[in-house]
């Protein structure tokens, strides 16, 4: 036998390469039925994750009140507010890394690590809460980083598991943030009053780790994304539709937090209402937001996701400019909290669904992560600008400049979404 023949045979007899995925790699579950029992398990897991990830962000006001009155009485409120600002801003800034990790690793591992970081950040913060800058790093920056590893998989995975009820599924997941805001705020206030901030942080951190350890077991990708040379595919930035959604999200986030932060103080300072009334406005807002995030999913099934999205932007802006700006009565404030909460909740819940509709579900985690940079920009600019308008233009008591700021930017967001609607289908009666 010739040397060439021996060479060929030796190559052909080599054992096949092992292509078994590593334990940490993302694995396909395409054999699982769409909208089946496991799909709803993914929704339940995402709901639990957002309940704590966003619920803790919503309840930071309880910590800030205690910090300002007792723990750091000489620190400016604007300085203390950066702890909560970092939580939400870093969550959005780490959207791209979280999306990349979801594509390359098992999302169960990603979300488990996220819960571990979140829980550890609060426990560590409980031992260094004698310094504001340490709390910025732990309760703010570190918490936001862990929350991103839970938030991005939680809002993107349901799109892979649903088609007909996709908007409803994503709405249920995102409603977890509203539910978390409802009960965590009162629970945190009670723990701080009875036990102090240190134990409130420790207990919350332990609960987050325990709940997320169970929920992360079911947070699995249905589809496996093929490997690619580019870590992030920025070619989507050349798509006009993405740029319109990005700009609309920046404007929507610029406007979003003004009513949330200022309605209670407006009720007390301008309308002459009690502190309890101001607190109840936040409860009403969170409850309406929770309903809105679920209900708009059902509405979107009839009207279309993009149609419902731009309608939410329109009605949210009108609720600020028509119900809040010209009036001071308690009834109109309650009406504003309900209407704004309902339709802002829909605005938040529908954006991931529209992304999946326009660009598919294969790389939805990375695309949503890239889009959420817009939330980071809006968060870092919106709330500080609105507060600056109140202090420097309104003299601390005239809220009209801040209200106009919020209403106008939400209206601009509506215009961006309306342009997307026309670019997709120019027929006004079409379901889009």
């Amino acid at each position: 036998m010739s040397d060439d023949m021996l060479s060929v045979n030796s190559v052909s007899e080599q054992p096949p390469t092992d292509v078994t995925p590593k334990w940490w790699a993302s694995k396909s579950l395409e054999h699982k039925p769409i909208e089946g029992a496991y799909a709803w398990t993914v929704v339940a897991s995402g709901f639990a994750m957002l309940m704590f990830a966003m619920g803790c962000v919503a309840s930071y006001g309880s910590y800030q009140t205690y910090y300002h009155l007792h723990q750091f009485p000489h620190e400016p409120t604007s300085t203390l507010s950066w702890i909560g600002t970092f939580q939400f801003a870093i969550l959005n800034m780490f959207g791209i890394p979280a999306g990349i990790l979801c594509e390359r690793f098992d999302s169960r591992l990603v979300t488990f690590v996220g819960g571990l970081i979140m829980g550890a950040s609060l426990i560590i913060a409980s031992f260094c809460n004698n310094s504001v800058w340490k709390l910025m790093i732990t309760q703010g920056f570190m918490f936001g980083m862990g929350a991103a590893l839970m938030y991005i998989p939680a809002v993107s995975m349901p799109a892979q598991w649903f088609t007909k009820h996709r908007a409803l599924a994503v709405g249920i997941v995102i409603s977890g943030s509203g539910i978390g805001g409802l009960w965590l705020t009162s629970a945190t206030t009670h723990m701080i009053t009875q036990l102090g901030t240190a134990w409130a942080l420790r207990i919350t951190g332990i609960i987050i780790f325990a709940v997320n350890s169970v929920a992360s077991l079911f947070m699995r990708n249905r589809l496996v994304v093929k490997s690619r040379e580019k870590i992030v595919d920025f070619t989507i930035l050349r798509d006009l539709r993405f740029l319109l959604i990005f700009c609309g999200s920046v404007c929507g986030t610029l406007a979003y937090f003004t009513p949330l932060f200022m309605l209670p103080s407006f009720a007390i300072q301008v309308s002459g209402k009690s502190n309890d009334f101001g607190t109840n406005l936040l409860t009403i807002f969170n409850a309406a937001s929770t309903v809105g995030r679920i209900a708009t999913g059902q509405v979107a099934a009839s009207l279309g996701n993009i149609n419902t999205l731009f309608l939410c932007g329109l009605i949210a802006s009108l609720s600020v400019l028509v119900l809040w700006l010209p009036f001071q009565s308690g009834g109109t404030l309650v009406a504003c909290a309900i209407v704004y909460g309902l339709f802002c909740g829909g605005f938040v819940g529908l954006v991931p669904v529209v992304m999946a509709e326009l660009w598919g579900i294969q790389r939805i985690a990375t695309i949503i992560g890239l889009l959420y940079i817009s939330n980071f920009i809006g968060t870092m600019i919106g709330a500080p600008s609105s507060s600056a308008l109140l202090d420097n233009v309104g003299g601390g008591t005239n809220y009209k400049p801040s209200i106009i700021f919020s209403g106008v930017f939400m209206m601009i967001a509506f215009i961006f979404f309306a342009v997307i609607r026309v670019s997709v289908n120019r027929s006004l009666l079409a379901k889009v």
Side-chain angles (χ1 to χ4, degrees), residues 18-27 104-106:
D18 184 14
V19 293
T20 303
K22 303 297 184 182
W23 65 269
W24 42 260
S26 181
K27 302 172 182 64
R104 283 166 163 70
F105 297 94
D106 192 323

Side-chain angles (χ1 to χ4, degrees), residues 114-426:
L116 179 63
I117 294 173
M118 282 176 59
S121 70
L122 298 183
I123 293 172
I124 295 171
S126 72
F127 292 101
C128 58
N129 60 359
N130 59 342
S131 171
V132 175
W133 71 266
K134 292 178 182 178
L135 290 173
M136 287 183 183
I137 294 174
T138 53
Q139 191 178 2
F141 188 96
M142 187 176 171
F143 180 91
M145 185 171 61
L149 297 180
M150 290 172 58
Y151 187 90
I152 298 299
V155 299
S156 60
M157 288 304 106
Q160 295 187 359
W161 289 94
F162 290 86
T163 52
K164 180 180 179 182
H165 296 102
R166 180 177 292 163
L168 174 62
V170 175
I172 291 174
V173 169
I174 295 182
S175 71
S177 59
I179 296 293
L182 278 173
W183 73 268
L184 263 176
T185 299
S186 58
T188 300
T189 301
H190 183 74
M191 286 191 292
I192 291 173
T193 302
Q194 299 296 321
L195 304 172
T197 56
W199 273 106
L201 288 166
R202 290 168 197 152
I203 292 171
T204 306
I206 292 170
I207 293 174
I208 287 174
F209 177 73
V211 172
N212 186 69
S213 296
V214 177
S216 62
L217 294 173
F218 305 99
M219 187 55 61
R220 299 187 65 176
N221 302 62
R222 184 173 179 272
L223 304 174
V224 176
V225 179
K226 296 179 180 178
S227 61
R228 54 183 172 174
E229 294 181 3
K230 294 181 180 179
I231 296 178
V232 181
D233 188 2
F234 288 103
T235 57
I236 195 173
L237 297 178
R238 296 199 292 265
D239 191 324
L240 178 61
R241 297 172 302 171
F242 181 84
L243 295 178
L244 289 170
I245 291 182
F246 189 93
C247 293
S249 295
V250 170
C251 294
T253 311
L254 277 167
Y256 181 80
F257 287 101
T258 297
L260 185 60
F261 290 164
M262 293 189 176
L263 268 176
S265 58
F266 179 91
I268 296 167
Q269 284 187 298
V270 179
S271 301
K273 300 297 181 180
S274 65
N275 290 337
D276 288 341
F277 184 89
T279 302
N280 289 337
L281 281 178
L282 282 183
T283 303
I284 292 169
F285 171 85
N286 282 320
S289 179
T290 300
V291 174
R293 295 174 195 205
I294 298 174
T296 49
Q298 292 292 85
V299 174
S302 301
L303 298 183
N305 295 319
I306 300 177
N307 287 337
T308 309
L309 176 63
F310 88 83
L311 285 175
C312 284
L314 173 62
I315 298 174
S317 66
L318 291 177
S319 70
V320 174
L321 296 174
V322 175
L323 292 177
W324 188 13
L325 180 62
F327 300 107
Q328 299 178 4
S329 68
T332 54
L333 291 180
V334 171
C336 178
I338 293 172
V339 177
Y340 187 78
L342 280 171
F343 289 94
C344 266
F347 165 80
V348 173
L350 284 172
V351 169
V353 181
V354 171
M355 302 296 286
E357 181 175 322
L358 294 178
W359 289 283
I361 60 176
Q362 191 71 14
R363 299 193 183 278
I364 186 65
T366 302
I367 294 174
I368 289 178
L370 187 60
L371 175 71
Y372 275 23
I373 295 297
S374 64
N375 290 352
F376 170 76
I377 297 171
T379 301
M380 297 299 288
I381 298 174
S385 298
S386 185
S387 298
L389 285 171
L390 176 62
D391 294 336
N392 300 322
V393 180
T397 57
N398 183 1
Y399 285 75
K400 287 188 176 181
S402 299
I403 297 171
I404 293 171
F405 172 87
S406 176
V408 168
F409 271 104
M410 188 60 76
M411 183 64 72
I412 295 172
F414 154 72
I415 293 172
F416 277 116
F417 295 139
V419 174
I420 295 168
R421 166 64 178 81
V422 174
S423 69
V424 173
N425 193 316
R426 295 191 177 184

